[in-house]
Amino acid sequence: QLCRKQGTDLLSNVNISSTEDNFCLIFHKISQIQTKLKMKLAVFATLAVSASALSFVPKDLAKAAQAGAVAAAIAGGVAAPAFAGDVGAGEQVFNANCAACHAGGQNVIMPEKTLEKEALESYLAGGRNEKAVITQVTNGKNAMPAFGGRLSDEDIANVATYVITTSEAGWDE
């Protein structure tokens, strides 16, 4: 109910106009991704428990029980991934340090390597995820300088959260 605009679900509304609407869209997308991930982890956990139950010898009983507990924790969502950084703080760090080359999610040096969702998936080592963005920002690559010595780990994590979240919702040009 909180994220409805004039009776239209925001996920089907193409023109997002306010910050609140952007937040709601991002929240819904994150929820959808987390739900899909939890389902996949539940299947994985079930397979892991089944495999460990069928493959242990008596001396490995403790290891099998431990593996089952870890798999159950994953399936139950205890170990579900969460965004590491703060989107608002990440936007501030991005605007101060990254926007000169990446304003609006673009790339003025290498135009094909934008911060759009599809481009990040294709060009970012490790795919479109926060860890890969953190690695790229920390170490740099090609024409991109390393920010590991200039920004704190927290600032870099915040930028990574901002980039991934904004690439999912779509950059404002």
Side-chain angles (χ1 to χ4, degrees):
Q1 303 302 350
L2 175 65
C3 294
R4 293 213 175 252
K5 180 178 180 182
Q6 299 173 350
T8 303
D9 187 349
L10 284 176
L11 294 176
S12 62
N13 187 357
V14 176
N15 294 320
I16 306 292
S17 59
S18 74
T19 302
E20 182 177 314
D21 289 347
N22 281 330
F23 173 78
C24 290
L25 177 65
I26 292 166
F27 177 78
H28 282 291
K29 291 288 187 179
I30 291 169
S31 295
Q32 289 174 343
I33 292 167
Q34 284 179 335
T35 299
K36 289 178 184 177
L37 184 60
K38 283 183 182 180
M39 285 189 275
K40 289 178 182 180
L41 288 173
V43 169
F44 171 77
T46 303
L47 292 173
V49 170
S50 298
S52 66
L54 295 173
S55 64
F56 73 89
V57 293
K59 68 178 183 175
D60 290 332
L61 183 57
K63 287 182 183 178
Q66 183 179 18
V70 169
I74 291 171
V78 173
F83 287 119
D86 177 278
V87 175
E91 182 177 17
Q92 291 178 347
V93 174
F94 182 91
N95 289 336
N97 296 277
C98 312
C101 294
H102 294 291
Q106 299 306 301
N107 186 329
V108 299
I109 307 298
M110 301 177 84
E112 72 280 2
K113 294 188 177 182
T114 69
L115 301 180
E116 301 288 341
K117 182 177 179 179
E118 295 78 18
L120 289 175
E121 195 63 58
S122 298
Y123 296 113
L124 196 59
R128 191 183 70 86
N129 62 70
E130 286 187 49
K131 183 177 177 187
V133 174
I134 289 170
T135 299
Q136 177 94 9
V137 172
T138 301
N139 302 321
K141 185 175 180 184
N142 298 326
M144 181 173 164
F147 285 85
R150 301 182 211 178
L151 298 174
S152 69
D153 290 346
E154 181 180 8
D155 284 344
I156 293 172
N158 290 340
V159 166
T161 299
Y162 172 71
V163 168
I164 294 299
T165 302
T166 307
S167 72
E168 181 67 33
W171 291 86
D172 291 333
E173 300 297 325

